[in-house]
Amino acid sequence: MIDEPENGAPENLDRRKILLGLAFASATGLAAMRLPSEPVNYLGNRKLENIVPKRIGEWEFVTASGLVVPPEDQLSKMTYSQLLTRVYSDGVHPPIMFLVAQSAGQTGILQVHRPEACYPAGGYRLSSIEPRTVALPSASFVANELTATAADRTEQIIYWTRIGDHLPPSWSQQRLVVATDNLKGLIPDAVLVRVSMVTQDKAMALELMEGFVRKLMASLPPVSQKVFVPVA
């Protein structure tokens, strides 16, 4: 009968520790290799207020206030690279309210400015969200349309979110797109665009707001168009 070495168990235990350590080190190395490192930021160092014209077709900038935005306590908790709010008037129709929120990080954190997040906080009831194809001169893209109703105000809304080169229609798909790009090594910026008008005439509002978007895109050089719509 051959006796086992007295130190056999500790040797086996040490061997297991070494193997586990190597496994953890390999996992850490693979995770580091998957970290996103290539930024996708079409706005870059430019300012939204400088690239968005103060006159868009017959629509002229009149004020930066009057838009529905989240309460200050919510805004203070969120980190946005840039936020632009403008009201445009053509002197004939109800004004068009224009909001752009941009985040240059990889989180895609724009939920607070999505209408389904900020309008109910202001006491509005929302209709169902429907897809709407917005035609541009060279292409088209799908945005969201809905109606927000309060006691004394009805607002027609078109909005969309660009994440890198994508236009996800919902918050869940927005997060999925961010995660997918991150796995590809990309750090996508996020831009939410909201166009709205206070009126009960939905058909008129949608027509005017689509025209406003087309004129906005036509007024921008291609490098700035991509800030808003990657298919332009």
Side-chain angles (χ1 to χ4, degrees), residues 70-83 101-103 107-114 117-118 171 174-175:
E72 283 297 325
D73 58 340
Q74 290 187 29
L75 284 174
S76 64
K77 296 176 183 178
M78 311 305 294
T79 301
Y80 290 95
S81 300
Q82 296 190 50
L83 174 64
Q102 190 250 5
S103 172
T107 61
I109 186 125
L110 288 169
Q111 184 182 21
V112 72
H113 274 296
R114 296 181 70 91
C118 68
W171 170 240
Q174 180 176 317
R175 295 305 297 267

PDB file of all heavy atoms in Angstrom, residues 70-83 101-103 107-114 117-118 171 174-175:
ATOM      1  N   PRO A  70     -39.354  68.271 -18.821  1.00  0.00           N
ATOM      2  CA  PRO A  70     -39.486  67.617 -17.517  1.00  0.00           C
ATOM      3  C   PRO A  70     -39.278  68.611 -16.380  1.00  0.00           C
ATOM      4  O   PRO A  70     -38.679  69.672 -16.564  1.00  0.00           O
ATOM      5  CB  PRO A  70     -38.356  66.576 -17.532  1.00  0.00           C
ATOM      6  CG  PRO A  70     -38.007  66.401 -18.972  1.00  0.00           C
ATOM      7  CD  PRO A  70     -38.271  67.724 -19.613  1.00  0.00           C
ATOM      8  N   PRO A  71     -39.765  68.279 -15.195  1.00  0.00           N
ATOM      9  CA  PRO A  71     -39.527  69.141 -14.034  1.00  0.00           C
ATOM     10  C   PRO A  71     -38.039  69.320 -13.779  1.00  0.00           C
ATOM     11  O   PRO A  71     -37.233  68.464 -14.117  1.00  0.00           O
ATOM     12  CB  PRO A  71     -40.200  68.367 -12.879  1.00  0.00           C
ATOM     13  CG  PRO A  71     -41.187  67.465 -13.545  1.00  0.00           C
ATOM     14  CD  PRO A  71     -40.599  67.121 -14.884  1.00  0.00           C
ATOM     15  N   GLU A  72     -37.684  70.432 -13.157  1.00  0.00           N
ATOM     16  CA  GLU A  72     -36.277  70.742 -12.920  1.00  0.00           C
ATOM     17  C   GLU A  72     -35.569  69.663 -12.111  1.00  0.00           C
ATOM     18  O   GLU A  72     -34.400  69.388 -12.316  1.00  0.00           O
ATOM     19  CB  GLU A  72     -36.144  72.091 -12.207  1.00  0.00           C
ATOM     20  CG  GLU A  72     -36.348  73.292 -13.121  1.00  0.00           C
ATOM     21  CD  GLU A  72     -35.291  73.370 -14.213  1.00  0.00           C
ATOM     22  OE1 GLU A  72     -34.134  73.009 -13.958  1.00  0.00           O
ATOM     23  OE2 GLU A  72     -35.636  73.783 -15.333  1.00  0.00           O
ATOM     24  N   ASP A  73     -36.282  69.039 -11.149  1.00  0.00           N
ATOM     25  CA  ASP A  73     -35.624  68.032 -10.329  1.00  0.00           C
ATOM     26  C   ASP A  73     -35.225  66.820 -11.158  1.00  0.00           C
ATOM     27  O   ASP A  73     -34.229  66.162 -10.884  1.00  0.00           O
ATOM     28  CB  ASP A  73     -36.510  67.606  -9.157  1.00  0.00           C
ATOM     29  CG  ASP A  73     -37.850  67.060  -9.614  1.00  0.00           C
ATOM     30  OD1 ASP A  73     -38.251  67.351 -10.758  1.00  0.00           O
ATOM     31  OD2 ASP A  73     -38.500  66.344  -8.833  1.00  0.00           O
ATOM     32  N   GLN A  74     -36.023  66.505 -12.214  1.00  0.00           N
ATOM     33  CA  GLN A  74     -35.648  65.414 -13.106  1.00  0.00           C
ATOM     34  C   GLN A  74     -34.484  65.824 -13.994  1.00  0.00           C
ATOM     35  O   GLN A  74     -33.545  65.066 -14.199  1.00  0.00           O
ATOM     36  CB  GLN A  74     -36.832  64.990 -13.972  1.00  0.00           C
ATOM     37  CG  GLN A  74     -37.935  64.285 -13.220  1.00  0.00           C
ATOM     38  CD  GLN A  74     -38.988  63.734 -14.162  1.00  0.00           C
ATOM     39  OE1 GLN A  74     -38.709  63.388 -15.302  1.00  0.00           O
ATOM     40  NE2 GLN A  74     -40.215  63.661 -13.679  1.00  0.00           N
ATOM     41  N   LEU A  75     -34.547  67.056 -14.526  1.00  0.00           N
ATOM     42  CA  LEU A  75     -33.479  67.519 -15.402  1.00  0.00           C
ATOM     43  C   LEU A  75     -32.142  67.559 -14.676  1.00  0.00           C
ATOM     44  O   LEU A  75     -31.098  67.264 -15.252  1.00  0.00           O
ATOM     45  CB  LEU A  75     -33.818  68.903 -15.943  1.00  0.00           C
ATOM     46  CG  LEU A  75     -34.874  68.970 -17.048  1.00  0.00           C
ATOM     47  CD1 LEU A  75     -35.190  70.419 -17.373  1.00  0.00           C
ATOM     48  CD2 LEU A  75     -34.404  68.257 -18.295  1.00  0.00           C
ATOM     49  N   SER A  76     -32.176  67.923 -13.406  1.00  0.00           N
ATOM     50  CA  SER A  76     -30.930  68.066 -12.667  1.00  0.00           C
ATOM     51  C   SER A  76     -30.242  66.725 -12.466  1.00  0.00           C
ATOM     52  O   SER A  76     -29.042  66.673 -12.207  1.00  0.00           O
ATOM     53  CB  SER A  76     -31.193  68.721 -11.308  1.00  0.00           C
ATOM     54  OG  SER A  76     -32.020  67.891 -10.502  1.00  0.00           O
ATOM     55  N   LYS A  77     -31.003  65.633 -12.567  1.00  0.00           N
ATOM     56  CA  LYS A  77     -30.428  64.311 -12.366  1.00  0.00           C
ATOM     57  C   LYS A  77     -29.885  63.714 -13.669  1.00  0.00           C
ATOM     58  O   LYS A  77     -29.227  62.684 -13.651  1.00  0.00           O
ATOM     59  CB  LYS A  77     -31.484  63.361 -11.790  1.00  0.00           C
ATOM     60  CG  LYS A  77     -31.982  63.770 -10.404  1.00  0.00           C
ATOM     61  CD  LYS A  77     -33.083  62.836  -9.955  1.00  0.00           C
ATOM     62  CE  LYS A  77     -33.657  63.268  -8.608  1.00  0.00           C
ATOM     63  NZ  LYS A  77     -34.779  62.404  -8.164  1.00  0.00           N
ATOM     64  N   MET A  78     -30.190  64.325 -14.782  1.00  0.00           N
ATOM     65  CA  MET A  78     -29.791  63.784 -16.063  1.00  0.00           C
ATOM     66  C   MET A  78     -28.606  64.560 -16.620  1.00  0.00           C
ATOM     67  O   MET A  78     -28.450  65.742 -16.372  1.00  0.00           O
ATOM     68  CB  MET A  78     -30.958  63.855 -17.067  1.00  0.00           C
ATOM     69  CG  MET A  78     -32.274  63.317 -16.531  1.00  0.00           C
ATOM     70  SD  MET A  78     -32.173  61.620 -15.915  1.00  0.00           S
ATOM     71  CE  MET A  78     -31.817  60.764 -17.436  1.00  0.00           C
ATOM     72  N   THR A  79     -27.776  63.862 -17.366  1.00  0.00           N
ATOM     73  CA  THR A  79     -26.618  64.496 -17.983  1.00  0.00           C
ATOM     74  C   THR A  79     -26.831  64.533 -19.491  1.00  0.00           C
ATOM     75  O   THR A  79     -26.857  63.503 -20.144  1.00  0.00           O
ATOM     76  CB  THR A  79     -25.331  63.722 -17.660  1.00  0.00           C
ATOM     77  OG1 THR A  79     -25.159  63.688 -16.247  1.00  0.00           O
ATOM     78  CG2 THR A  79     -24.128  64.393 -18.288  1.00  0.00           C
ATOM     79  N   TYR A  80     -26.997  65.732 -20.023  1.00  0.00           N
ATOM     80  CA  TYR A  80     -27.121  65.912 -21.457  1.00  0.00           C
ATOM     81  C   TYR A  80     -25.942  66.733 -21.945  1.00  0.00           C
ATOM     82  O   TYR A  80     -25.526  67.691 -21.298  1.00  0.00           O
ATOM     83  CB  TYR A  80     -28.419  66.632 -21.818  1.00  0.00           C
ATOM     84  CG  TYR A  80     -29.650  65.794 -21.599  1.00  0.00           C
ATOM     85  CD1 TYR A  80     -30.368  65.896 -20.422  1.00  0.00           C
ATOM     86  CD2 TYR A  80     -30.069  64.880 -22.566  1.00  0.00           C
ATOM     87  CE1 TYR A  80     -31.479  65.114 -20.202  1.00  0.00           C
ATOM     88  CE2 TYR A  80     -31.183  64.099 -22.353  1.00  0.00           C
ATOM     89  CZ  TYR A  80     -31.890  64.216 -21.175  1.00  0.00           C
ATOM     90  OH  TYR A  80     -32.981  63.440 -20.955  1.00  0.00           O
ATOM     91  N   SER A  81     -25.414  66.351 -23.077  1.00  0.00           N
ATOM     92  CA  SER A  81     -24.342  67.148 -23.648  1.00  0.00           C
ATOM     93  C   SER A  81     -24.889  68.496 -24.099  1.00  0.00           C
ATOM     94  O   SER A  81     -24.283  69.537 -23.846  1.00  0.00           O
ATOM     95  CB  SER A  81     -23.708  66.404 -24.831  1.00  0.00           C
ATOM     96  OG  SER A  81     -23.182  65.174 -24.411  1.00  0.00           O
ATOM     97  N   GLN A  82     -26.068  68.471 -24.772  1.00  0.00           N
ATOM     98  CA  GLN A  82     -26.679  69.713 -25.236  1.00  0.00           C
ATOM     99  C   GLN A  82     -28.199  69.568 -25.257  1.00  0.00           C
ATOM    100  O   GLN A  82     -28.731  68.477 -25.482  1.00  0.00           O
ATOM    101  CB  GLN A  82     -26.190  70.073 -26.644  1.00  0.00           C
ATOM    102  CG  GLN A  82     -24.706  70.375 -26.732  1.00  0.00           C
ATOM    103  CD  GLN A  82     -24.325  70.951 -28.077  1.00  0.00           C
ATOM    104  OE1 GLN A  82     -24.944  71.884 -28.561  1.00  0.00           O
ATOM    105  NE2 GLN A  82     -23.297  70.383 -28.681  1.00  0.00           N
ATOM    106  N   LEU A  83     -28.875  70.687 -25.045  1.00  0.00           N
ATOM    107  CA  LEU A  83     -30.335  70.738 -25.122  1.00  0.00           C
ATOM    108  C   LEU A  83     -30.724  72.038 -25.796  1.00  0.00           C
ATOM    109  O   LEU A  83     -30.320  73.116 -25.364  1.00  0.00           O
ATOM    110  CB  LEU A  83     -30.956  70.660 -23.729  1.00  0.00           C
ATOM    111  CG  LEU A  83     -32.485  70.838 -23.666  1.00  0.00           C
ATOM    112  CD1 LEU A  83     -33.184  69.700 -24.394  1.00  0.00           C
ATOM    113  CD2 LEU A  83     -32.949  70.915 -22.216  1.00  0.00           C
ATOM    114  N   ALA A 101     -32.474  67.122 -27.875  1.00  0.00           N
ATOM    115  CA  ALA A 101     -31.639  66.752 -26.729  1.00  0.00           C
ATOM    116  C   ALA A 101     -30.571  65.804 -27.232  1.00  0.00           C
ATOM    117  O   ALA A 101     -30.870  64.849 -27.953  1.00  0.00           O
ATOM    118  CB  ALA A 101     -32.473  66.083 -25.642  1.00  0.00           C
ATOM    119  N   GLN A 102     -29.316  66.069 -26.856  1.00  0.00           N
ATOM    120  CA  GLN A 102     -28.198  65.255 -27.325  1.00  0.00           C
ATOM    121  C   GLN A 102     -27.354  64.751 -26.171  1.00  0.00           C
ATOM    122  O   GLN A 102     -27.070  65.489 -25.223  1.00  0.00           O
ATOM    123  CB  GLN A 102     -27.315  66.051 -28.290  1.00  0.00           C
ATOM    124  CG  GLN A 102     -26.265  65.205 -29.008  1.00  0.00           C
ATOM    125  CD  GLN A 102     -24.833  65.482 -28.569  1.00  0.00           C
ATOM    126  OE1 GLN A 102     -24.607  66.255 -27.653  1.00  0.00           O
ATOM    127  NE2 GLN A 102     -23.879  64.855 -29.236  1.00  0.00           N
ATOM    128  N   SER A 103     -27.009  63.477 -26.231  1.00  0.00           N
ATOM    129  CA  SER A 103     -26.086  62.875 -25.270  1.00  0.00           C
ATOM    130  C   SER A 103     -24.958  62.232 -26.048  1.00  0.00           C
ATOM    131  O   SER A 103     -25.204  61.416 -26.941  1.00  0.00           O
ATOM    132  CB  SER A 103     -26.792  61.818 -24.416  1.00  0.00           C
ATOM    133  OG  SER A 103     -25.856  61.109 -23.622  1.00  0.00           O
ATOM    134  N   THR A 107     -24.581  55.648 -23.165  1.00  0.00           N
ATOM    135  CA  THR A 107     -25.736  55.126 -22.448  1.00  0.00           C
ATOM    136  C   THR A 107     -27.035  55.304 -23.218  1.00  0.00           C
ATOM    137  O   THR A 107     -28.025  54.636 -22.938  1.00  0.00           O
ATOM    138  CB  THR A 107     -25.890  55.820 -21.085  1.00  0.00           C
ATOM    139  OG1 THR A 107     -26.080  57.218 -21.300  1.00  0.00           O
ATOM    140  CG2 THR A 107     -24.639  55.606 -20.233  1.00  0.00           C
ATOM    141  N   GLY A 108     -27.072  56.231 -24.191  1.00  0.00           N
ATOM    142  CA  GLY A 108     -28.315  56.503 -24.915  1.00  0.00           C
ATOM    143  C   GLY A 108     -29.379  57.064 -24.005  1.00  0.00           C
ATOM    144  O   GLY A 108     -30.559  56.834 -24.190  1.00  0.00           O
ATOM    145  N   ILE A 109     -28.991  57.830 -22.976  1.00  0.00           N
ATOM    146  CA  ILE A 109     -29.918  58.259 -21.941  1.00  0.00           C
ATOM    147  C   ILE A 109     -30.694  59.490 -22.393  1.00  0.00           C
ATOM    148  O   ILE A 109     -30.262  60.599 -22.206  1.00  0.00           O
ATOM    149  CB  ILE A 109     -29.202  58.493 -20.618  1.00  0.00           C
ATOM    150  CG1 ILE A 109     -30.210  58.794 -19.525  1.00  0.00           C
ATOM    151  CG2 ILE A 109     -28.206  59.581 -20.694  1.00  0.00           C
ATOM    152  CD1 ILE A 109     -30.109  57.925 -18.351  1.00  0.00           C
ATOM    153  N   LEU A 110     -31.814  59.255 -23.038  1.00  0.00           N
ATOM    154  CA  LEU A 110     -32.662  60.355 -23.503  1.00  0.00           C
ATOM    155  C   LEU A 110     -34.110  60.134 -23.085  1.00  0.00           C
ATOM    156  O   LEU A 110     -35.007  60.776 -23.565  1.00  0.00           O
ATOM    157  CB  LEU A 110     -32.583  60.472 -25.028  1.00  0.00           C
ATOM    158  CG  LEU A 110     -31.261  61.016 -25.590  1.00  0.00           C
ATOM    159  CD1 LEU A 110     -31.207  60.823 -27.090  1.00  0.00           C
ATOM    160  CD2 LEU A 110     -31.092  62.480 -25.260  1.00  0.00           C
ATOM    161  N   GLN A 111     -34.330  59.209 -22.177  1.00  0.00           N
ATOM    162  CA  GLN A 111     -35.685  58.834 -21.820  1.00  0.00           C
ATOM    163  C   GLN A 111     -36.483  59.997 -21.247  1.00  0.00           C
ATOM    164  O   GLN A 111     -37.667  60.135 -21.504  1.00  0.00           O
ATOM    165  CB  GLN A 111     -35.670  57.679 -20.814  1.00  0.00           C
ATOM    166  CG  GLN A 111     -37.075  57.165 -20.481  1.00  0.00           C
ATOM    167  CD  GLN A 111     -37.050  56.070 -19.446  1.00  0.00           C
ATOM    168  OE1 GLN A 111     -36.089  55.946 -18.697  1.00  0.00           O
ATOM    169  NE2 GLN A 111     -38.086  55.273 -19.414  1.00  0.00           N
ATOM    170  N   VAL A 112     -35.819  60.875 -20.470  1.00  0.00           N
ATOM    171  CA  VAL A 112     -36.548  61.922 -19.778  1.00  0.00           C
ATOM    172  C   VAL A 112     -37.220  62.894 -20.748  1.00  0.00           C
ATOM    173  O   VAL A 112     -38.211  63.528 -20.401  1.00  0.00           O
ATOM    174  CB  VAL A 112     -35.596  62.673 -18.808  1.00  0.00           C
ATOM    175  CG1 VAL A 112     -34.626  63.549 -19.554  1.00  0.00           C
ATOM    176  CG2 VAL A 112     -36.388  63.496 -17.807  1.00  0.00           C
ATOM    177  N   HIS A 113     -36.711  63.033 -21.959  1.00  0.00           N
ATOM    178  CA  HIS A 113     -37.313  63.951 -22.922  1.00  0.00           C
ATOM    179  C   HIS A 113     -38.223  63.252 -23.927  1.00  0.00           C
ATOM    180  O   HIS A 113     -38.784  63.909 -24.801  1.00  0.00           O
ATOM    181  CB  HIS A 113     -36.225  64.729 -23.660  1.00  0.00           C
ATOM    182  CG  HIS A 113     -35.776  65.956 -22.924  1.00  0.00           C
ATOM    183  ND1 HIS A 113     -36.610  67.018 -22.673  1.00  0.00           N
ATOM    184  CD2 HIS A 113     -34.594  66.283 -22.368  1.00  0.00           C
ATOM    185  CE1 HIS A 113     -35.955  67.940 -21.998  1.00  0.00           C
ATOM    186  NE2 HIS A 113     -34.736  67.521 -21.805  1.00  0.00           N
ATOM    187  N   ARG A 114     -38.384  61.947 -23.821  1.00  0.00           N
ATOM    188  CA  ARG A 114     -39.360  61.271 -24.678  1.00  0.00           C
ATOM    189  C   ARG A 114     -40.759  61.727 -24.243  1.00  0.00           C
ATOM    190  O   ARG A 114     -41.032  61.858 -23.043  1.00  0.00           O
ATOM    191  CB  ARG A 114     -39.228  59.755 -24.559  1.00  0.00           C
ATOM    192  CG  ARG A 114     -37.895  59.197 -25.053  1.00  0.00           C
ATOM    193  CD  ARG A 114     -37.848  57.698 -24.919  1.00  0.00           C
ATOM    194  NE  ARG A 114     -38.739  57.069 -25.875  1.00  0.00           N
ATOM    195  CZ  ARG A 114     -38.379  56.694 -27.102  1.00  0.00           C
ATOM    196  NH1 ARG A 114     -37.140  56.897 -27.513  1.00  0.00           N
ATOM    197  NH2 ARG A 114     -39.235  56.128 -27.917  1.00  0.00           N
ATOM    198  N   ALA A 117     -42.518  60.155 -21.418  1.00  0.00           N
ATOM    199  CA  ALA A 117     -41.945  60.337 -20.084  1.00  0.00           C
ATOM    200  C   ALA A 117     -42.256  61.725 -19.522  1.00  0.00           C
ATOM    201  O   ALA A 117     -42.650  61.863 -18.362  1.00  0.00           O
ATOM    202  CB  ALA A 117     -40.426  60.112 -20.124  1.00  0.00           C
ATOM    203  N   CYS A 118     -42.080  62.776 -20.345  1.00  0.00           N
ATOM    204  CA  CYS A 118     -42.185  64.129 -19.784  1.00  0.00           C
ATOM    205  C   CYS A 118     -43.598  64.716 -19.853  1.00  0.00           C
ATOM    206  O   CYS A 118     -43.966  65.517 -18.993  1.00  0.00           O
ATOM    207  CB  CYS A 118     -41.178  65.068 -20.454  1.00  0.00           C
ATOM    208  SG  CYS A 118     -41.495  65.422 -22.179  1.00  0.00           S
ATOM    209  N   TRP A 171     -38.195  53.104 -26.437  1.00  0.00           N
ATOM    210  CA  TRP A 171     -37.151  53.191 -25.417  1.00  0.00           C
ATOM    211  C   TRP A 171     -36.399  51.865 -25.288  1.00  0.00           C
ATOM    212  O   TRP A 171     -35.177  51.834 -25.188  1.00  0.00           O
ATOM    213  CB  TRP A 171     -37.780  53.582 -24.093  1.00  0.00           C
ATOM    214  CG  TRP A 171     -36.872  53.485 -22.897  1.00  0.00           C
ATOM    215  CD1 TRP A 171     -37.059  52.701 -21.797  1.00  0.00           C
ATOM    216  CD2 TRP A 171     -35.659  54.205 -22.665  1.00  0.00           C
ATOM    217  NE1 TRP A 171     -36.040  52.886 -20.908  1.00  0.00           N
ATOM    218  CE2 TRP A 171     -35.153  53.805 -21.411  1.00  0.00           C
ATOM    219  CE3 TRP A 171     -34.941  55.150 -23.407  1.00  0.00           C
ATOM    220  CZ2 TRP A 171     -33.980  54.308 -20.879  1.00  0.00           C
ATOM    221  CZ3 TRP A 171     -33.754  55.651 -22.870  1.00  0.00           C
ATOM    222  CH2 TRP A 171     -33.291  55.231 -21.624  1.00  0.00           C
ATOM    223  N   GLN A 174     -34.200  51.450 -28.183  1.00  0.00           N
ATOM    224  CA  GLN A 174     -33.111  52.411 -28.051  1.00  0.00           C
ATOM    225  C   GLN A 174     -31.983  51.813 -27.214  1.00  0.00           C
ATOM    226  O   GLN A 174     -30.805  51.877 -27.584  1.00  0.00           O
ATOM    227  CB  GLN A 174     -33.653  53.679 -27.387  1.00  0.00           C
ATOM    228  CG  GLN A 174     -32.626  54.783 -27.172  1.00  0.00           C
ATOM    229  CD  GLN A 174     -33.276  56.039 -26.609  1.00  0.00           C
ATOM    230  OE1 GLN A 174     -34.350  56.452 -27.053  1.00  0.00           O
ATOM    231  NE2 GLN A 174     -32.652  56.640 -25.620  1.00  0.00           N
ATOM    232  N   ARG A 175     -32.323  51.206 -26.073  1.00  0.00           N
ATOM    233  CA  ARG A 175     -31.306  50.600 -25.226  1.00  0.00           C
ATOM    234  C   ARG A 175     -30.660  49.403 -25.910  1.00  0.00           C
ATOM    235  O   ARG A 175     -29.455  49.155 -25.759  1.00  0.00           O
ATOM    236  CB  ARG A 175     -31.936  50.174 -23.896  1.00  0.00           C
ATOM    237  CG  ARG A 175     -32.450  51.332 -23.044  1.00  0.00           C
ATOM    238  CD  ARG A 175     -31.374  52.368 -22.781  1.00  0.00           C
ATOM    239  NE  ARG A 175     -30.269  51.827 -22.030  1.00  0.00           N
ATOM    240  CZ  ARG A 175     -30.150  51.875 -20.715  1.00  0.00           C
ATOM    241  NH1 ARG A 175     -31.082  52.459 -19.998  1.00  0.00           N
ATOM    242  NH2 ARG A 175     -29.098  51.365 -20.114  1.00  0.00           N
TER     243      ARG A 175
END
